[in-house]
Amino acid sequence: MITKDSGENVGYSIVDLGDVKHVFASSAPKTYGNLRSQVRDALKTIATVVKEAGAIGSIVRQAVFIKDARLIDDCRKIIAEFYGNELPATIYIPQPPCGGSLVSIEAMGIAHGNGEVEIDRYSEKLVITRHSGISWIHCGHTTPSTPAHSVYARSISAFEQMERTLADRGIRYDQIIRTWLYIGDIVGPEGETQRYKELNRARTDFYRDFRFATGRTPQGLKQTVYPASTGIGTSNRDLTMSCLALATDRDDLTLVPLENPQQVAAFDYGEHYSPESPKFCRAMAIVAGQCATILVSGTASITESETRFINDVEGQTHQTLDNIEALISESNFQRHGMPGMGATLDDMANVRVYVKRQQDYQKTKAVCQERLGALPIIYSIADVCRDDLLVEIEGMAFSHRCVK
Ligand code: 3EB
């Protein structure tokens, strides 16, 4: 059991793993004043629930969903002032919150259990937490630095920026286990091709020389490993990225790139979808001792490699949740050589739901509430990478048996 609750504008969950507690909270402002009052309202709600939950935890990572990219600079100042020298790794995502507010915030915190927790805060771009012999490298808001305009050049530049942020602290790019790639007008044209396809071409080129998770995957895994990922639209035109990397000396830690038997692996998609296939896995499980932490990639209503439930947002939401359920299930972990590590939708600790059309929000929400119950959840408006996809869902889950 994970301790979870949610109300109209807030949700939280506490995952007690014994040596450490993870705290997740999502919040939207209760009243619709100006930017400053909305941001502070949402942040205070998060601080309150984290405290009330008995976790004297500290927020280490956050995603700020913002209605208009032009508000990011002001929002950043308000958040910096609020947190002072306790600033979490932060990404600003130009996606309007479905509830109508200017912002909504997803936060992830950590509290010690029986073991020590160390937190090193460098900037909005980088926070490192250490516990149980594992370092989690939380990489925040990353944008291209090049003056070039093409999606390809901007993507390469942003990947390079991320590489540099990590390298500054001695972390290698191939230690990344999860990425978030946000790109405006994702299905829009780029010359003869499409913006998302150009992002995929850049990712393929950039990843060519990296071997992710080397020496850490289950024996017998032959496929090339890629990080779990979300690739989705924004309301501006540019590119924003963030990532999560992991470093450890523990020799009992296994990284399991999960694929869904109901879906063709994205990196094996046919050329029709993208000449250079999307290089990501469906979920990355971090297995340490008795427990798996499962990072579920952006998941959509696709089986085999086909979109299902065209023009039916409820059908798509159900199919997407079915896909996540199958992906994290005990039988899928057995298939990947890791029996006992499975999870169910009840073991999800937080979720983001990207909805393409505002008018589908209530329908999607009803299905999510019915199947996921109370948990911290964010709904935002975004184009998905195929025109016919109406919803995409991601989140984190923990092995059923590990959560006290
Ligand atoms: C799909 O299954 C939906 O490009 O990194 C989901 C997750 C999707 C990640 C990415 C794209 C990405 O193909 C789209």
Side-chain angles (χ1 to χ4, degrees):
M1 264 286 284
I2 309 181
T3 311
K4 298 194 249 192
D5 199 5
S6 65
E8 198 43 50
N9 298 297
V10 61
Y12 76 88
S13 64
I14 302 168
V15 180
D16 186 350
L17 296 175
D19 48 353
V20 67
K21 284 181 196 162
H22 294 293
V23 189
F24 300 88
S26 295
S27 121
K30 292 180 291 297
T31 53
Y32 289 178
N34 62 18
L35 179 70
R36 184 181 169 80
S37 74
Q38 290 198 28
V39 172
R40 290 184 63 85
D41 181 341
L43 291 170
K44 281 181 197 159
T45 304
I46 287 172
T48 307
V49 296
V50 167
K51 207 174 188 178
E52 275 173 7
I56 331 131
S58 192
I59 305 294
V60 292
R61 167 178 206 112
Q62 62 180 347
V64 179
F65 297 81
I66 191 153
K67 189 168 190 156
D68 184 333
R70 287 169 297 190
L71 299 174
I72 290 175
D73 287 342
D74 286 341
C75 189
R76 180 180 274 122
K77 286 185 198 128
I78 298 161
I79 287 181
E81 182 193 305
F82 184 88
Y83 279 106
N85 53 16
E86 302 248 296
L87 186 68
T90 305
I91 180 172
Y92 296 91
I93 304 167
Q95 291 177 346
C98 289
S101 54
L102 294 174
V103 289
S104 63
I105 302 177
E106 178 200 83
M108 189 184 146
I110 196 160
H112 70 84
N114 308 323
E116 292 287 301
V117 174
E118 281 173 62
I119 303 172
D120 286 327
R121 299 174 186 277
Y122 298 100
S123 71
E124 149 189 308
K125 289 198 197 316
L126 194 69
V127 171
I128 301 181
T129 62
R130 274 185 214 87
H131 58 85
S132 323
I134 306 170
S135 295
W136 298 83
I137 298 102
H138 301 279
C139 202
H141 203 84
T142 304
T143 50
S145 68
T146 175
H149 288 293
S150 76
V151 169
Y152 182 87
R154 298 192 74 70
S155 303
I156 294 284
S157 174
F159 284 125
E160 284 170 353
Q161 290 300 313
M162 205 140 82
E163 184 178 30
R164 200 157 308 147
T165 303
L166 296 171
D168 282 348
R169 303 294 160 191
I171 312 294
R172 300 187 316 271
Y173 194 85
D174 58 45
Q175 290 177 296
I176 292 177
I177 55 175
R178 175 77 165 94
T179 63
W180 287 266
L181 312 179
Y182 293 98
I183 177 174
D185 193 19
I186 185 167
V187 288
E190 170 92 345
E192 304 277 273
T193 176
Q194 183 208 45
R195 289 168 64 82
Y196 179 59
K197 291 180 183 175
E198 283 297 276
L199 168 62
N200 278 312
R201 188 163 69 86
R203 174 166 51 186
T204 298
D205 286 347
F206 194 78
Y207 283 10
R208 192 157 281 132
D209 296 329
F210 296 113
R211 293 290 166 271
F212 294 94
T214 359
R216 292 218 170 269
T217 50
Q219 283 208 324
L221 184 97
K222 279 193 221 71
Q223 94 217 9
T224 310
V225 179
Y226 299 108
S229 184
T230 294
I232 199 150
T234 56
S235 65
N236 67 343
R237 275 195 65 82
D238 208 7
L239 204 77
T240 313
M241 299 183 181
S242 68
C243 76
L244 176 63
L246 183 146
T248 184
D249 292 331
R250 280 175 65 160
D251 52 18
D252 66 336
L253 185 140
T254 307
L255 294 175
V256 191
L258 296 168
E259 289 304 318
N260 184 342
Q262 297 168 180
Q263 293 185 300
V264 171
F267 46 82
D268 289 333
Y269 278 168
E271 289 214 357
H272 160 72
Y273 293 106
S274 186
E276 294 297 348
S277 65
K279 303 293 189 293
F280 70 93
C281 65
R282 298 292 177 190
M284 184 66 82
I286 301 95
V287 179
Q290 297 292 298
C291 291
T293 301
I294 311 164
L295 307 168
V296 178
S297 289
T299 305
S301 178
I302 295 170
T303 63
E304 312 292 322
S305 55
E306 301 305 308
T307 302
R308 306 296 171 192
F309 300 98
I310 306 271
N311 277 321
D312 169 5
V313 75
E314 280 148 328
Q316 289 205 10
T317 308
H318 274 295
Q319 181 63 59
T320 300
L321 292 171
D322 289 348
N323 282 342
I324 293 177
E325 201 164 40
L327 185 64
I328 66 178
S329 68
E330 174 57 22
S331 64
N332 203 35
F333 271 90
Q334 287 180 13
R335 194 175 290 113
H336 287 79
M338 288 282 149
M341 294 296 169
T344 67
L345 292 182
D346 277 346
D347 305 311
M348 301 282 314
N350 75 350
V351 157
R352 289 183 198 172
V353 183
Y354 304 98
V355 186
K356 179 164 171 160
R357 307 183 302 205
Q358 175 72 49
Q359 68 264 32
D360 290 336
Y361 169 42
Q362 295 300 340
K363 286 181 187 165
T364 306
K365 189 176 176 182
V367 175
C368 288
Q369 280 183 338
E370 174 201 326
R371 298 206 37 199
L372 296 167
L375 88 174
I377 189 160
I378 290 274
Y379 297 91
S380 66
I381 303 290
D383 283 345
V384 187
C385 64
R386 291 184 191 180
D387 239 341
D388 51 13
L389 288 171
L390 301 173
V391 59
E392 183 169 310
I393 303 180
E394 61 165 81
M396 279 179 74
F398 292 83
S399 298
H400 187 68
R401 72 173 182 206
C402 291
V403 183
K404 296 176 183 67

